[in-house]
Amino acid sequence: MTVGRSACDWRFDSGRPCLDLVATGIGTTGACELLDGAERLADWLVAAGLVPGGTRLDAVDESWVVRFRQLRTGVDRLLTAELGGRGAGSALDRVNALAAEAPPGLRAVRGRGGKLVRVLSADPDCGALLAAVARDVVELLTDPVARAALRRCEAGNCRRIYLDTSRGRRRRWCSSEVCGNRERVARHRRRVAAVAVRDAPVAVPDAAVS
């Protein structure tokens, strides 16, 4: 399978590949399942930067989809527990087990025009790509600065987890352009509605008119 689909459906504003994987789940926005098949997973792997563009992903099948969804669930549980100050032993054990595997090897080769480009040193392997995501989780949670920047989106219909790298660490939404704009529009509509109610003329009963 050669991936050639547009990645316009994906969002990568969480700040880390592992967080972007969690964001593909139904529970993050109430939307449909984004990893709904082998082709979609292959598309995501390229769009997320886990494999170089142009990589043939013929080996990706439904078993890969199941394993990536399982990792996604574990990462979501682990991060949710961390944000809540709780433990998540089984999820952490699963992430650690996957992170112990070797991630994909990379090589630099000459591309068009003589520029060096990245390619995988071997055919893509599901375990190696799962390891790359799991290692990202480990690096995130063991980095005090990154761990302190973990946030849950405050938008009413979103529960994405993201890294707040804004100045002053006051970012409230996973994306200012998406959830932030949606919340601002909703506030504006509420203000307009409140003003309309306040300024609406009061009907005077006919009997009160002399």
PDB file of all heavy atoms in Angstrom, residues 112-136:
ATOM      1  N   ARG A 112      16.043  13.452  -4.986  1.00  0.00           N
ATOM      2  CA  ARG A 112      16.084  14.286  -6.185  1.00  0.00           C
ATOM      3  C   ARG A 112      16.869  15.564  -5.905  1.00  0.00           C
ATOM      4  O   ARG A 112      16.717  16.186  -4.866  1.00  0.00           O
ATOM      5  CB  ARG A 112      14.671  14.642  -6.628  1.00  0.00           C
ATOM      6  CG  ARG A 112      13.872  13.439  -7.126  1.00  0.00           C
ATOM      7  CD  ARG A 112      12.499  13.858  -7.600  1.00  0.00           C
ATOM      8  NE  ARG A 112      11.729  12.725  -8.100  1.00  0.00           N
ATOM      9  CZ  ARG A 112      10.497  12.815  -8.555  1.00  0.00           C
ATOM     10  NH1 ARG A 112       9.878  13.998  -8.574  1.00  0.00           N
ATOM     11  NH2 ARG A 112       9.864  11.737  -8.998  1.00  0.00           N
ATOM     12  N   GLY A 113      17.697  15.938  -6.845  1.00  0.00           N
ATOM     13  CA  GLY A 113      18.494  17.145  -6.677  1.00  0.00           C
ATOM     14  C   GLY A 113      19.687  16.951  -5.764  1.00  0.00           C
ATOM     15  O   GLY A 113      20.387  17.908  -5.442  1.00  0.00           O
ATOM     16  N   GLY A 114      19.908  15.720  -5.315  1.00  0.00           N
ATOM     17  CA  GLY A 114      21.070  15.459  -4.471  1.00  0.00           C
ATOM     18  C   GLY A 114      20.868  15.717  -2.994  1.00  0.00           C
ATOM     19  O   GLY A 114      21.796  15.524  -2.206  1.00  0.00           O
ATOM     20  N   LYS A 115      19.663  16.148  -2.603  1.00  0.00           N
ATOM     21  CA  LYS A 115      19.420  16.403  -1.181  1.00  0.00           C
ATOM     22  C   LYS A 115      19.298  15.100  -0.415  1.00  0.00           C
ATOM     23  O   LYS A 115      18.784  14.101  -0.918  1.00  0.00           O
ATOM     24  CB  LYS A 115      18.139  17.216  -0.996  1.00  0.00           C
ATOM     25  CG  LYS A 115      18.272  18.682  -1.346  1.00  0.00           C
ATOM     26  CD  LYS A 115      17.015  19.439  -0.922  1.00  0.00           C
ATOM     27  CE  LYS A 115      17.183  20.929  -1.136  1.00  0.00           C
ATOM     28  NZ  LYS A 115      15.976  21.685  -0.662  1.00  0.00           N
ATOM     29  N   LEU A 116      19.771  15.127   0.839  1.00  0.00           N
ATOM     30  CA  LEU A 116      19.631  13.962   1.694  1.00  0.00           C
ATOM     31  C   LEU A 116      18.204  13.881   2.237  1.00  0.00           C
ATOM     32  O   LEU A 116      17.658  14.879   2.715  1.00  0.00           O
ATOM     33  CB  LEU A 116      20.612  14.023   2.863  1.00  0.00           C
ATOM     34  CG  LEU A 116      22.084  13.782   2.505  1.00  0.00           C
ATOM     35  CD1 LEU A 116      22.970  14.064   3.713  1.00  0.00           C
ATOM     36  CD2 LEU A 116      22.297  12.353   2.001  1.00  0.00           C
ATOM     37  N   VAL A 117      17.611  12.705   2.153  1.00  0.00           N
ATOM     38  CA  VAL A 117      16.256  12.490   2.661  1.00  0.00           C
ATOM     39  C   VAL A 117      16.257  11.249   3.555  1.00  0.00           C
ATOM     40  O   VAL A 117      17.135  10.390   3.449  1.00  0.00           O
ATOM     41  CB  VAL A 117      15.240  12.314   1.517  1.00  0.00           C
ATOM     42  CG1 VAL A 117      15.141  13.579   0.692  1.00  0.00           C
ATOM     43  CG2 VAL A 117      15.609  11.120   0.634  1.00  0.00           C
ATOM     44  N   ARG A 118      15.263  11.159   4.444  1.00  0.00           N
ATOM     45  CA  ARG A 118      15.147  10.024   5.345  1.00  0.00           C
ATOM     46  C   ARG A 118      14.398   8.878   4.678  1.00  0.00           C
ATOM     47  O   ARG A 118      13.378   9.098   4.017  1.00  0.00           O
ATOM     48  CB  ARG A 118      14.382  10.413   6.612  1.00  0.00           C
ATOM     49  CG  ARG A 118      15.102  11.349   7.540  1.00  0.00           C
ATOM     50  CD  ARG A 118      14.280  11.518   8.816  1.00  0.00           C
ATOM     51  NE  ARG A 118      12.890  11.892   8.528  1.00  0.00           N
ATOM     52  CZ  ARG A 118      11.831  11.478   9.220  1.00  0.00           C
ATOM     53  NH1 ARG A 118      11.977  10.654  10.238  1.00  0.00           N
ATOM     54  NH2 ARG A 118      10.616  11.883   8.909  1.00  0.00           N
ATOM     55  N   VAL A 119      14.882   7.684   4.902  1.00  0.00           N
ATOM     56  CA  VAL A 119      14.150   6.477   4.526  1.00  0.00           C
ATOM     57  C   VAL A 119      14.332   5.464   5.656  1.00  0.00           C
ATOM     58  O   VAL A 119      15.275   5.561   6.446  1.00  0.00           O
ATOM     59  CB  VAL A 119      14.648   5.859   3.196  1.00  0.00           C
ATOM     60  CG1 VAL A 119      14.430   6.814   2.045  1.00  0.00           C
ATOM     61  CG2 VAL A 119      16.110   5.455   3.304  1.00  0.00           C
ATOM     62  N   LEU A 120      13.426   4.505   5.737  1.00  0.00           N
ATOM     63  CA  LEU A 120      13.580   3.449   6.731  1.00  0.00           C
ATOM     64  C   LEU A 120      14.666   2.478   6.281  1.00  0.00           C
ATOM     65  O   LEU A 120      14.820   2.208   5.092  1.00  0.00           O
ATOM     66  CB  LEU A 120      12.269   2.705   6.927  1.00  0.00           C
ATOM     67  CG  LEU A 120      11.089   3.517   7.476  1.00  0.00           C
ATOM     68  CD1 LEU A 120       9.885   2.605   7.691  1.00  0.00           C
ATOM     69  CD2 LEU A 120      11.457   4.212   8.781  1.00  0.00           C
ATOM     70  N   SER A 121      15.394   1.958   7.244  1.00  0.00           N
ATOM     71  CA  SER A 121      16.473   1.030   6.908  1.00  0.00           C
ATOM     72  C   SER A 121      15.957  -0.375   6.624  1.00  0.00           C
ATOM     73  O   SER A 121      16.707  -1.230   6.147  1.00  0.00           O
ATOM     74  CB  SER A 121      17.493   0.977   8.053  1.00  0.00           C
ATOM     75  OG  SER A 121      16.865   0.617   9.270  1.00  0.00           O
ATOM     76  N   ALA A 122      14.693  -0.627   6.940  1.00  0.00           N
ATOM     77  CA  ALA A 122      14.071  -1.923   6.664  1.00  0.00           C
ATOM     78  C   ALA A 122      12.584  -1.696   6.440  1.00  0.00           C
ATOM     79  O   ALA A 122      12.072  -0.604   6.687  1.00  0.00           O
ATOM     80  CB  ALA A 122      14.301  -2.889   7.825  1.00  0.00           C
ATOM     81  N   ASP A 123      11.898  -2.726   5.965  1.00  0.00           N
ATOM     82  CA  ASP A 123      10.454  -2.600   5.771  1.00  0.00           C
ATOM     83  C   ASP A 123       9.775  -2.261   7.097  1.00  0.00           C
ATOM     84  O   ASP A 123      10.187  -2.748   8.157  1.00  0.00           O
ATOM     85  CB  ASP A 123       9.876  -3.903   5.217  1.00  0.00           C
ATOM     86  CG  ASP A 123      10.308  -4.159   3.781  1.00  0.00           C
ATOM     87  OD1 ASP A 123      10.685  -3.196   3.099  1.00  0.00           O
ATOM     88  OD2 ASP A 123      10.275  -5.340   3.364  1.00  0.00           O
ATOM     89  N   PRO A 124       8.729  -1.435   7.058  1.00  0.00           N
ATOM     90  CA  PRO A 124       8.050  -1.035   8.295  1.00  0.00           C
ATOM     91  C   PRO A 124       7.538  -2.243   9.068  1.00  0.00           C
ATOM     92  O   PRO A 124       7.008  -3.189   8.490  1.00  0.00           O
ATOM     93  CB  PRO A 124       6.889  -0.165   7.793  1.00  0.00           C
ATOM     94  CG  PRO A 124       7.304   0.289   6.446  1.00  0.00           C
ATOM     95  CD  PRO A 124       8.122  -0.823   5.876  1.00  0.00           C
ATOM     96  N   ASP A 125       7.717  -2.204  10.378  1.00  0.00           N
ATOM     97  CA  ASP A 125       7.265  -3.272  11.253  1.00  0.00           C
ATOM     98  C   ASP A 125       6.353  -2.673  12.310  1.00  0.00           C
ATOM     99  O   ASP A 125       6.657  -1.622  12.890  1.00  0.00           O
ATOM    100  CB  ASP A 125       8.467  -3.939  11.919  1.00  0.00           C
ATOM    101  CG  ASP A 125       8.064  -4.973  12.956  1.00  0.00           C
ATOM    102  OD1 ASP A 125       7.642  -6.057  12.559  1.00  0.00           O
ATOM    103  OD2 ASP A 125       8.158  -4.660  14.162  1.00  0.00           O
ATOM    104  N   CYS A 126       5.228  -3.331  12.569  1.00  0.00           N
ATOM    105  CA  CYS A 126       4.250  -2.788  13.505  1.00  0.00           C
ATOM    106  C   CYS A 126       4.851  -2.603  14.895  1.00  0.00           C
ATOM    107  O   CYS A 126       4.678  -1.566  15.539  1.00  0.00           O
ATOM    108  CB  CYS A 126       3.031  -3.700  13.572  1.00  0.00           C
ATOM    109  SG  CYS A 126       1.672  -3.035  14.563  1.00  0.00           S
ATOM    110  N   GLY A 127       5.568  -3.611  15.388  1.00  0.00           N
ATOM    111  CA  GLY A 127       6.150  -3.518  16.716  1.00  0.00           C
ATOM    112  C   GLY A 127       7.114  -2.363  16.857  1.00  0.00           C
ATOM    113  O   GLY A 127       7.151  -1.681  17.888  1.00  0.00           O
ATOM    114  N   ALA A 128       7.906  -2.109  15.801  1.00  0.00           N
ATOM    115  CA  ALA A 128       8.871  -1.016  15.842  1.00  0.00           C
ATOM    116  C   ALA A 128       8.162   0.338  15.882  1.00  0.00           C
ATOM    117  O   ALA A 128       8.593   1.257  16.599  1.00  0.00           O
ATOM    118  CB  ALA A 128       9.792  -1.091  14.629  1.00  0.00           C
ATOM    119  N   LEU A 129       7.074   0.471  15.135  1.00  0.00           N
ATOM    120  CA  LEU A 129       6.349   1.739  15.123  1.00  0.00           C
ATOM    121  C   LEU A 129       5.593   1.949  16.431  1.00  0.00           C
ATOM    122  O   LEU A 129       5.503   3.080  16.933  1.00  0.00           O
ATOM    123  CB  LEU A 129       5.398   1.776  13.928  1.00  0.00           C
ATOM    124  CG  LEU A 129       6.104   1.827  12.568  1.00  0.00           C
ATOM    125  CD1 LEU A 129       5.108   1.645  11.439  1.00  0.00           C
ATOM    126  CD2 LEU A 129       6.846   3.153  12.397  1.00  0.00           C
ATOM    127  N   LEU A 130       5.057   0.879  17.006  1.00  0.00           N
ATOM    128  CA  LEU A 130       4.443   0.993  18.329  1.00  0.00           C
ATOM    129  C   LEU A 130       5.496   1.417  19.352  1.00  0.00           C
ATOM    130  O   LEU A 130       5.221   2.216  20.255  1.00  0.00           O
ATOM    131  CB  LEU A 130       3.822  -0.343  18.739  1.00  0.00           C
ATOM    132  CG  LEU A 130       2.575  -0.790  17.974  1.00  0.00           C
ATOM    133  CD1 LEU A 130       2.250  -2.232  18.317  1.00  0.00           C
ATOM    134  CD2 LEU A 130       1.385   0.106  18.297  1.00  0.00           C
ATOM    135  N   ALA A 131       6.713   0.880  19.215  1.00  0.00           N
ATOM    136  CA  ALA A 131       7.804   1.238  20.126  1.00  0.00           C
ATOM    137  C   ALA A 131       8.130   2.724  20.030  1.00  0.00           C
ATOM    138  O   ALA A 131       8.416   3.371  21.046  1.00  0.00           O
ATOM    139  CB  ALA A 131       9.039   0.401  19.815  1.00  0.00           C
ATOM    140  N   ALA A 132       8.085   3.268  18.819  1.00  0.00           N
ATOM    141  CA  ALA A 132       8.384   4.689  18.646  1.00  0.00           C
ATOM    142  C   ALA A 132       7.382   5.553  19.403  1.00  0.00           C
ATOM    143  O   ALA A 132       7.753   6.541  20.061  1.00  0.00           O
ATOM    144  CB  ALA A 132       8.385   5.047  17.167  1.00  0.00           C
ATOM    145  N   VAL A 133       6.094   5.182  19.343  1.00  0.00           N
ATOM    146  CA  VAL A 133       5.072   5.941  20.064  1.00  0.00           C
ATOM    147  C   VAL A 133       5.224   5.741  21.564  1.00  0.00           C
ATOM    148  O   VAL A 133       5.138   6.687  22.351  1.00  0.00           O
ATOM    149  CB  VAL A 133       3.663   5.527  19.605  1.00  0.00           C
ATOM    150  CG1 VAL A 133       2.609   6.275  20.405  1.00  0.00           C
ATOM    151  CG2 VAL A 133       3.477   5.797  18.117  1.00  0.00           C
ATOM    152  N   ALA A 134       5.446   4.491  21.987  1.00  0.00           N
ATOM    153  CA  ALA A 134       5.588   4.206  23.413  1.00  0.00           C
ATOM    154  C   ALA A 134       6.790   4.939  24.005  1.00  0.00           C
ATOM    155  O   ALA A 134       6.729   5.452  25.127  1.00  0.00           O
ATOM    156  CB  ALA A 134       5.725   2.699  23.631  1.00  0.00           C
ATOM    157  N   ARG A 135       7.885   5.009  23.273  1.00  0.00           N
ATOM    158  CA  ARG A 135       9.061   5.738  23.758  1.00  0.00           C
ATOM    159  C   ARG A 135       8.763   7.232  23.886  1.00  0.00           C
ATOM    160  O   ARG A 135       9.271   7.895  24.784  1.00  0.00           O
ATOM    161  CB  ARG A 135      10.246   5.511  22.817  1.00  0.00           C
ATOM    162  CG  ARG A 135      10.837   4.123  22.922  1.00  0.00           C
ATOM    163  CD  ARG A 135      12.110   3.979  22.117  1.00  0.00           C
ATOM    164  NE  ARG A 135      12.698   2.664  22.305  1.00  0.00           N
ATOM    165  CZ  ARG A 135      14.004   2.399  22.165  1.00  0.00           C
ATOM    166  NH1 ARG A 135      14.835   3.377  21.830  1.00  0.00           N
ATOM    167  NH2 ARG A 135      14.466   1.171  22.361  1.00  0.00           N
ATOM    168  N   ASP A 136       7.931   7.725  22.989  1.00  0.00           N
ATOM    169  CA  ASP A 136       7.544   9.130  23.090  1.00  0.00           C
ATOM    170  C   ASP A 136       6.769   9.381  24.385  1.00  0.00           C
ATOM    171  O   ASP A 136       6.944  10.419  25.032  1.00  0.00           O
ATOM    172  CB  ASP A 136       6.701   9.531  21.876  1.00  0.00           C
ATOM    173  CG  ASP A 136       6.419  11.011  21.817  1.00  0.00           C
ATOM    174  OD1 ASP A 136       7.364  11.808  21.901  1.00  0.00           O
ATOM    175  OD2 ASP A 136       5.234  11.382  21.701  1.00  0.00           O
TER     176      ASP A 136
END
